[in-house]
Amino acid sequence: ITSALSPLEVAILRFLAINAPGPVSRLELHRDVWGLKGDPRGRGIDHTIKRLRKKIEVNPSKPRFLKTVRGVGYALILPAQRPQFDRIVGRQAETARLCEWLDGGERRVHVHGPPGAGKSVLVRLLADQWATRPLVIDCDAHGSVGEVLLSVAAALGVRELRGAERIGALLAWHEIDLLVLDGLRVFLPLDEWAKTVPVVTTSRAPDEGRCLVLGGLDTPDAIAFFRRRISQVTGEPDRTDEAVL
């Protein structure tokens, strides 16, 4: 929220939240929020919604929360509960930063670090819990642009692809809200795709976009990580001495 809300704006958000995620008609707003009778006339409701979007949306022209439902009215899309990432050890700060970037409207995010740093686990869990309709592509075995494009197209149900420019349209048509390219090793027109959907990539080297660097775990986190892995293998709580770990 960029500035203080008026009592009327608070009332609108409260009414929409009570009815979320379902849409609310202009007639219902006119009657239950404005307290007026009859059919709403003029553009007063629409102008108020427009002002409200400027206060609560990162990009008011492409609202993420306060949506227009054509032919009906408006709906408030409440953000999902932020991921807890309880399957990742020692990455609380990094995962929180990814959420902040995406929530803030960042369109290109890149995660890089050495092998075994947890890049793939991190972004896959992010896709699972942050996005509603994510698309995750394993690019590690793809050594060419064509292979990556075919993999993305196949995931979107397209067997033949006539150029990379169609990917953006396909992502929009399928309502994908997060594209993850894990282990990307080739150059792609990601800036164009990011106009349609936020794109998260991983690799062992830096790349364009907001970069998150994953290094080694601190000693306490490393011990916790190994204990968890041992327990996963043995099926029993690990009691190995810390000096051995």
Side-chain angles (χ1 to χ4, degrees):
I1 297 177
T2 58
S3 59
L5 300 178
S6 69
L8 176 60
E9 291 166 341
V10 171
I12 292 172
L13 287 178
R14 182 183 295 116
F15 187 72
L16 290 171
I18 291 172
N19 291 277
V24 172
S25 69
R26 297 175 74 254
L27 177 60
E28 289 174 301
L29 288 171
H30 184 73
R31 180 190 63 206
D32 297 329
V33 177
W34 268 261
L36 301 175
K37 297 180 180 180
D39 294 332
R41 298 180 179 179
R43 306 291 294 177
I45 293 176
D46 304 308
H47 292 322
T48 303
I49 293 293
K50 184 177 181 179
R51 289 195 302 270
L52 182 53
R53 279 180 176 148
K54 291 180 180 180
K55 295 182 179 181
I56 68 171
E57 299 281 1
V58 174
N59 185 353
S61 63
K62 295 182 178 180
R64 181 179 177 187
F65 304 113
L66 186 45
K67 297 278 193 177
T68 297
V69 182
R70 293 187 180 279
V72 181
Y74 300 98
L76 184 65
I77 307 301
L78 298 174
Q81 185 178 4
R82 287 280 64 85
Q84 298 301 312
F85 295 93
D86 55 355
R87 285 179 277 169
I88 297 180
V89 175
R91 298 298 186 193
Q92 287 77 11
E94 292 91 340
T95 51
R97 191 173 304 125
L98 285 177
C99 286
E100 290 174 3
W101 288 351
L102 292 172
D103 284 339
E106 194 68 46
R107 309 299 293 181
R108 284 284 310 278
V109 174
H110 181 70
V111 180
H112 69 93
K119 302 182 295 294
S120 296
V121 175
L122 175 63
V123 297
R124 288 169 187 270
L125 188 56
L126 175 73
D128 181 50
Q129 297 192 20
W130 183 86
T132 303
R133 293 180 62 87
L135 177 61
V136 180
I137 303 296
D138 186 355
C139 304
D140 194 55
H142 299 331
S144 70
V145 171
E147 290 176 338
V148 176
L149 292 179
L150 287 175
S151 184
V152 175
L156 295 171
V158 177
R159 295 183 179 181
E160 297 182 3
L161 186 66
R162 300 177 181 176
E165 64 277 359
R166 284 201 60 202
I167 294 293
L170 289 170
L171 292 169
W173 192 84
H174 285 274
E175 298 183 339
I176 301 299
D177 58 356
L178 183 69
L179 174 63
V180 175
L181 301 175
D182 187 24
L184 186 64
R185 297 186 289 130
V186 298
F187 175 79
L188 289 170
L190 298 182
D191 286 336
E192 287 299 316
W193 297 359
K195 294 177 181 178
T196 302
V197 59
V199 179
V200 175
T201 55
T202 76
S203 74
R204 300 178 184 179
D207 200 350
E208 297 179 357
R210 292 289 294 270
C211 286
L212 179 69
V213 182
L214 292 186
L217 293 172
D218 295 336
T219 299
D221 290 331
I223 292 174
F225 172 79
F226 282 114
R227 287 195 186 282
R228 177 177 294 187
R229 293 302 298 270
I230 292 172
S231 296
Q232 290 173 343
V233 173
T234 63
E236 298 178 356
D238 176 65
R239 297 181 177 84
T240 307
D241 187 86
E242 287 191 6
V244 175
L245 292 173

